[in-house]
Amino acid sequence: MALLCVFCACDVNELSSLREFSRAYAGEYECFEATLGGKDLLGKTRFVHLSLERDGTFTVSAKNKAGLSAEKSGSYEYDEESGVLTFRAEHGGKRYEKRAELKNGAFTISHSLGGRELVLKFRVKG
């Protein structure tokens, strides 16, 4: 550990900020499962991607098979200790917040939509 500090020209107290700087969780994710009320939604889409930027913003984009696309952006935070991603976005004048546990490069977001449960499962793209 001390040897690493010599090469990085930093002290041990700066390591936590280095960890935050690296943001290994930032990057591209693909939706590999999407259901609404238990019914498959991915069969109707070309893709659903989520991008976590290093600056704490996210963008989710989707395109259906008819070629219509949609995009939504917001902010996110990652808690290193709990492994929880917290997403925040606004829509229709309302603020929304969703939490998801990031585990082995994958996470699930659930949301009640018209009395049915929307479930989106993401994993690191690649």
Side-chain angles (χ1 to χ4, degrees):
M1 177 89 85
L3 186 60
L4 176 65
C5 291
V6 170
F7 286 111
C8 294
C10 64
D11 64 30
V12 175
N13 293 330
E14 291 175 320
L15 285 178
S16 63
S17 62
L18 286 174
R19 190 177 327 117
E20 184 63 22
F21 176 73
S22 71
R23 296 184 186 241
Y25 48 85
E28 299 291 319
Y29 293 79
E30 63 184 344
C31 184
F32 67 93
E33 185 178 318
T35 59
L36 179 61
K39 295 184 181 181
D40 177 51
L41 295 177
L42 283 185
K44 299 176 183 179
T45 64
R46 290 186 186 175
F47 65 82
V48 178
H49 294 158
L50 178 82
S51 178
L52 298 181
E53 302 298 333
R54 292 190 182 281
D55 67 358
T57 60
F58 77 87
T59 302
V60 63
S61 55
K63 187 176 226 180
N64 67 17
K65 290 192 174 179
L68 297 174
S69 59
E71 192 172 276
K72 186 66 182 168
S73 297
S75 64
Y76 77 93
E77 293 176 3
Y78 179 67
D79 184 317
E80 295 272 346
E81 289 183 27
S82 66
V84 172
L85 284 163
T86 302
F87 296 92
R88 293 180 184 88
E90 292 185 21
H91 182 73
K94 292 184 180 182
R95 291 182 182 210
Y96 294 91
E97 182 174 293
K98 292 292 173 185
R99 288 184 165 80
E101 181 181 6
L102 179 61
K103 192 170 185 180
N104 298 321
F107 60 91
T108 301
I109 296 176
S110 299
H111 181 72
S112 181
L113 192 64
R116 298 181 289 175
E117 195 69 14
L118 173 66
V119 178
L120 304 171
K121 295 185 179 184
F122 291 90
R123 65 179 166 218
V124 172
K125 188 176 174 184

